[in-house]
Amino acid sequence: MLLATNGWVLSGLILVFTFYNVNSSLAAGAASVGKADVTRAVSNNATFRDAGSAFGALAGGFLLAYDHLDLIFTLLSSILILLT
Protein backbone atom coordinates (compact mmCIF):
# COMPACT_ATOMS: atom_id res chain seq x y z
CA MET A 1 0.00 0.00 0.00
CA LEU A 2 2.94 2.31 0.56
CA LEU A 3 4.00 1.73 -3.04
CA ALA A 4 0.52 2.74 -4.21
CA THR A 5 0.69 5.85 -2.04
CA ASN A 6 3.97 6.96 -3.60
CA GLY A 7 2.82 6.71 -7.20
CA TRP A 8 3.68 3.06 -7.88
CA VAL A 9 0.02 2.05 -7.97
CA LEU A 10 0.26 -0.93 -10.31
CA SER A 11 3.32 -2.40 -8.56
CA GLY A 12 1.71 -1.89 -5.15
CA LEU A 13 -1.55 -3.53 -6.18
CA ILE A 14 0.22 -6.51 -7.73
CA LEU A 15 2.19 -7.00 -4.50
CA VAL A 16 -0.91 -6.69 -2.29
CA PHE A 17 -2.96 -9.12 -4.39
CA THR A 18 -0.09 -11.60 -4.59
CA PHE A 19 0.28 -11.75 -0.82
CA TYR A 20 -3.51 -11.86 -0.38
CA ASN A 21 -3.74 -14.91 -2.64
CA VAL A 22 -0.92 -16.67 -0.82
CA ASN A 23 -2.55 -15.87 2.53
CA SER A 24 -6.00 -17.03 1.46
CA SER A 25 -4.66 -20.34 0.16
CA LEU A 26 -2.82 -21.08 3.41
CA ALA A 27 -5.42 -19.68 5.84
CA ALA A 28 -7.78 -22.66 5.79
CA GLY A 29 -5.02 -25.08 6.73
CA ALA A 30 -3.67 -22.80 9.42
CA ALA A 31 -7.13 -22.30 10.93
CA SER A 32 -7.66 -26.04 11.31
CA VAL A 33 -4.35 -26.90 13.01
CA GLY A 34 -4.91 -28.45 16.41
CA LYS A 35 -8.70 -28.20 16.26
CA ALA A 36 -10.95 -31.14 17.03
CA ASP A 37 -13.60 -30.00 14.53
CA VAL A 38 -11.65 -29.09 11.39
CA THR A 39 -14.75 -28.33 9.34
CA ARG A 40 -16.01 -25.76 11.86
CA ALA A 41 -12.62 -24.04 12.07
CA VAL A 42 -12.36 -23.75 8.28
CA SER A 43 -15.99 -22.58 8.07
CA ASN A 44 -15.44 -19.84 10.66
CA ASN A 45 -12.33 -18.67 8.82
CA ALA A 46 -14.17 -18.56 5.48
CA THR A 47 -17.17 -16.74 6.98
CA PHE A 48 -15.15 -13.91 8.47
CA ARG A 49 -12.93 -13.67 5.37
CA ASP A 50 -16.02 -13.39 3.12
CA ALA A 51 -17.66 -10.82 5.41
CA GLY A 52 -14.47 -8.76 5.44
CA SER A 53 -14.25 -8.92 1.66
CA ALA A 54 -17.84 -7.77 1.27
CA PHE A 55 -17.38 -4.88 3.70
CA GLY A 56 -14.12 -3.88 2.02
CA ALA A 57 -15.73 -3.76 -1.42
CA LEU A 58 -18.66 -1.74 -0.09
CA ALA A 59 -16.44 0.74 1.76
CA GLY A 60 -14.09 0.96 -1.23
CA GLY A 61 -16.97 1.80 -3.53
CA PHE A 62 -17.95 4.74 -1.34
CA LEU A 63 -14.35 5.91 -1.00
CA LEU A 64 -13.80 5.95 -4.77
CA ALA A 65 -16.07 8.98 -4.95
CA TYR A 66 -13.49 10.81 -2.82
CA ASP A 67 -10.99 12.78 -4.93
CA HIS A 68 -7.92 12.40 -2.71
CA LEU A 69 -6.99 8.73 -3.02
CA ASP A 70 -3.41 9.40 -1.92
CA LEU A 71 -4.72 10.46 1.50
CA ILE A 72 -6.82 7.31 1.73
CA PHE A 73 -3.86 5.07 0.85
CA THR A 74 -1.67 6.88 3.38
CA LEU A 75 -4.29 6.56 6.13
CA LEU A 76 -4.91 2.88 5.41
CA SER A 77 -1.17 2.15 5.28
CA SER A 78 -0.68 3.86 8.62
CA ILE A 79 -3.55 1.94 10.21
CA LEU A 80 -2.22 -1.33 8.81
CA ILE A 81 1.26 -0.63 10.17
CA LEU A 82 -0.13 0.25 13.60
CA LEU A 83 -2.30 -2.86 13.76
CA THR A 84 0.53 -5.09 12.61
Side-chain angles (χ1 to χ4, degrees):
M1 288 177 54
L2 289 174
L3 287 172
T5 302
N6 292 316
W8 295 69
V9 176
L10 188 59
S11 301
L13 290 176
I14 288 172
L15 192 65
V16 166
F17 283 117
T18 299
F19 281 105
Y20 173 76
N21 288 328
V22 169
N23 182 35
S24 65
S25 66
L26 298 176
S32 64
V33 171
K35 305 286 184 185
D37 189 0
V38 173
T39 306
R40 181 175 172 86
V42 172
S43 176
N44 284 340
N45 183 345
T47 299
F48 285 109
R49 189 179 64 225
D50 291 345
S53 295
F55 177 73
L58 182 63
F62 285 118
L63 290 175
L64 283 176
Y66 188 63
D67 290 332
H68 303 288
L69 289 178
D70 55 340
L71 295 176
I72 293 172
F73 281 134
T74 303
L75 177 66
L76 291 176
S77 297
S78 301
I79 290 171
L80 183 64
I81 289 170
L82 288 174
L83 292 176
T84 302

